Amino acid sequence: MENFVLRDVHIYNANEEIEHAYITVKNGKITAVGENDRMEIEIPDMDRWKLKEYTVESGTLLVPGMIDVHIHGVNNADVMDGTFDALTTMTQTLPAEGTTSFLATTITQSQDAITRALQNAAVFSKYQAPQQAEMLGVHLEGPFFTPMKAGAQPKNFLLDADVSLFQEWQEAAEGLIKWVSLAPECDLDYQLIRHLKKTGVIASAAHSNANLEEVEQSIVAGLSHVTHLFNGMSGLHHREPGLASAALLHHKVTNEIIADGIHVHPSMVKMAHQMKGTTDIFLITDSIRAKCLPNGHYDLGGQTVTVEGNRPYLEDGTIAGSMLKMNEAMKNMMSYTDCSLKEAVAMTSANAAAKLGLEHKGAIAPGMDADFVLLDENQEVIRTWCRGQIAYEK
């Protein structure tokens, strides 16, 4: 594993900006960060000689590696393929958009298909290569949803929440399920939500027609997040506030949003940011296997998805996942809300790391994994490091 130093870099973290900085990396970890003109003082000569030195282009920006907590697939690979090759393709492709770690996200399917995908993820996690995006665990999206708000989730496989079934799946995943999206009204007495909270798994509301009272009760039980805000949920009706209303009102609840300009109008993205603030919003892609591929017909959970431009949809016109990349989500968020790059870094990296309890990711600082991304002034990815190794170079 290569040990190196980056000199004269412009660093953006969620809570700080450092111009003309240096970073040293050893054994995949950041060991020092400081002002460039102090490097000779802070790093002894003998140590500097042992480090390969990288120069960066003028005007470029260095940000923490992006963490996508909701992604189904990319480059003709999908988590539900249930193969080692599919997850390998995802980990190899994602650094090109600045993603250095992610939660492999399932979709509503047969119980056997979900089990296979989880077992495959468990095996894959033991053999990941360091120079690729890191699969941090699994986001179980479905099948505990209401048919009324199913969206692109196959209705014939939807189920009421079941603690025993979840425990079977968690065993198949060898404990890798970190996040569960479910409809609160499909969880009798919020038993699964309570179990998830007790076992340290994030419970997130999604594909739900819950009213405000039901959501509030689920928050008391342990719900702490809302999946793809505004999409697949009861909304902002002035007499019947639903899940989207609760998501914006309750500060105990974080929100993820698909900032592609298709799933949510830019003005609604701006409103959500103004109401929730930077620390309670995560940018995600919810992307499918068709991302990085041309227009055409693709599979999603056993359904045919047609892709035209940046819009994937089912035969009935339902939006089915996205073609969004994380660096595009960052760029769009800054455009839609006028937020700063530091705020965008919080929403692409720091917030997800904090939610998942990852003390070693989400910032460029000593002791952190050497996951970072070199961007040009337009937020296009120039180079990505995953755990200290170059995973993508333009």
Side-chain angles (χ1 to χ4, degrees):
M1 186 173 290
E2 185 177 69
N3 298 329
F4 63 93
V5 59
L6 292 178
R7 298 195 66 168
D8 204 21
V9 293
H10 192 158
I11 297 172
Y12 282 86
N13 280 319
N15 57 1
E16 66 177 347
E17 176 183 352
I18 311 173
E19 292 188 73
H20 305 296
Y22 75 87
I23 303 171
T24 59
V25 173
K26 296 180 182 178
N27 300 319
K29 294 282 187 179
I30 300 171
T31 53
V33 177
E35 295 178 2
N36 199 59
D37 58 7
R38 291 187 58 81
M39 181 176 172
E40 283 72 16
I41 300 172
E42 295 170 350
I43 308 295
D45 286 347
M46 287 299 294
D47 288 344
R48 291 204 306 276
W49 293 341
K50 297 174 184 177
L51 299 174
K52 178 176 180 178
E53 185 169 323
Y54 282 98
T55 56
V56 299
E57 296 83 349
S58 176
T60 55
L61 315 166
L62 198 73
V63 300
M66 302 181 200
I67 303 172
D68 192 351
V69 300
H70 189 156
I71 175 170
H72 297 280
V74 62
N75 198 18
N76 206 30
D78 189 287
V79 174
M80 293 303 295
D81 291 346
T83 66
F84 200 94
D85 285 349
L87 291 178
T88 298
T89 296
M90 292 180 68
T91 61
Q92 290 175 337
T93 305
L94 291 177
E97 61 188 72
T99 298
T100 57
S101 48
F102 67 100
L103 292 181
T105 306
T106 61
I107 191 173
T108 298
Q109 255 296 329
S110 70
Q111 294 182 34
D112 286 345
I114 293 172
T115 299
R116 284 194 301 273
L118 295 173
Q119 289 171 333
N120 179 63
V123 173
F124 182 82
S125 69
K126 300 171 185 176
Y127 300 100
Q128 296 188 70
Q131 69 274 22
Q132 300 169 2
E134 182 178 2
M135 187 192 73
L136 299 170
V138 173
H139 176 168
L140 187 75
E141 189 185 16
F144 309 130
F145 295 142
T146 178
M148 295 179 65
K149 296 293 182 180
Q153 302 282 329
K155 292 182 180 179
N156 52 318
F157 292 116
L158 294 177
L159 300 170
D160 286 335
D162 186 325
V163 174
S164 296
L165 179 57
F166 170 77
Q167 288 174 318
E168 289 179 19
W169 279 336
Q170 186 67 292
E171 184 176 345
E174 298 183 23
L176 275 183
I177 301 175
K178 309 294 184 184
W179 203 291
V180 176
S181 289
L182 77 166
E185 71 273 27
C186 296
D187 185 8
L188 181 64
D189 296 327
Y190 311 113
Q191 293 179 46
L192 180 54
I193 291 173
R194 295 180 198 279
H195 176 76
L196 295 174
K197 182 179 180 180
K198 182 179 178 180
T199 57
V201 178
I202 294 162
S204 182
H207 296 284
S208 164
N209 199 42
N211 59 38
L212 184 62
E213 182 181 359
E214 288 172 322
V215 180
E216 289 176 337
Q217 290 174 349
S218 71
I219 292 171
V220 173
L223 187 91
S224 67
H225 190 75
V226 172
T227 301
H228 44 51
L229 179 63
F230 299 123
N231 299 119
M233 63 183 64
S234 48
L236 294 171
H237 193 280
H238 54 288
R239 286 190 298 273
E240 298 177 3
L243 175 53
S245 303
L248 296 174
L249 285 170
H250 286 273
H251 294 294
K252 289 184 178 180
V253 176
T254 52
N255 297 249
E256 65 187 49
I257 199 160
I258 308 170
D260 62 355
I262 297 170
H263 282 78
V264 183
H265 191 280
S267 294
M268 294 297 283
V269 175
K270 184 175 184 177
M271 183 188 75
H273 183 250
Q274 288 179 347
M275 292 188 69
K276 295 297 291 183
T278 295
T279 56
D280 285 342
I281 293 179
F282 303 179
L283 294 178
I284 53 111
T285 65
D286 195 12
S287 67
I288 61 174
R289 72 167 70 245
K291 181 165 68 172
C292 299
L293 300 178
N295 290 345
H297 302 288
Y298 300 93
D299 173 79
L300 176 66
Q303 307 163 108
T304 298
V305 174
T306 299
V307 174
E308 293 182 357
N310 287 325
R311 186 185 181 95
Y313 57 91
L314 301 180
E315 186 177 2
D316 64 1
T318 300
I319 298 175
S322 88
M323 305 289 280
L324 185 65
K325 299 175 181 178
M326 280 296 280
N327 66 302
E328 294 172 345
M330 169 183 274
K331 183 176 183 177
N332 290 343
M333 196 69 180
M334 294 173 68
S335 173
Y336 299 164
T337 69
D338 295 321
C339 73
S340 67
L341 181 54
K342 288 195 295 183
E343 289 177 297
V345 164
M347 292 183 279
T348 58
S349 185
N351 295 349
K355 189 81 172 182
L356 289 165
L358 303 173
E359 297 180 353
H360 57 293
K361 293 187 185 293
I364 298 172
M368 294 286 185
D369 286 354
D371 293 343
F372 37 76
V373 186
L374 192 67
L375 301 172
D376 66 19
E377 58 188 8
N378 296 313
Q379 285 75 55
E380 295 297 325
V381 178
I382 298 172
R383 193 177 299 132
T384 302
W385 286 263
C386 293
R387 287 162 285 166
Q389 299 197 40
I390 294 177
Y392 169 79
E393 194 159 19
K394 188 174 180 179

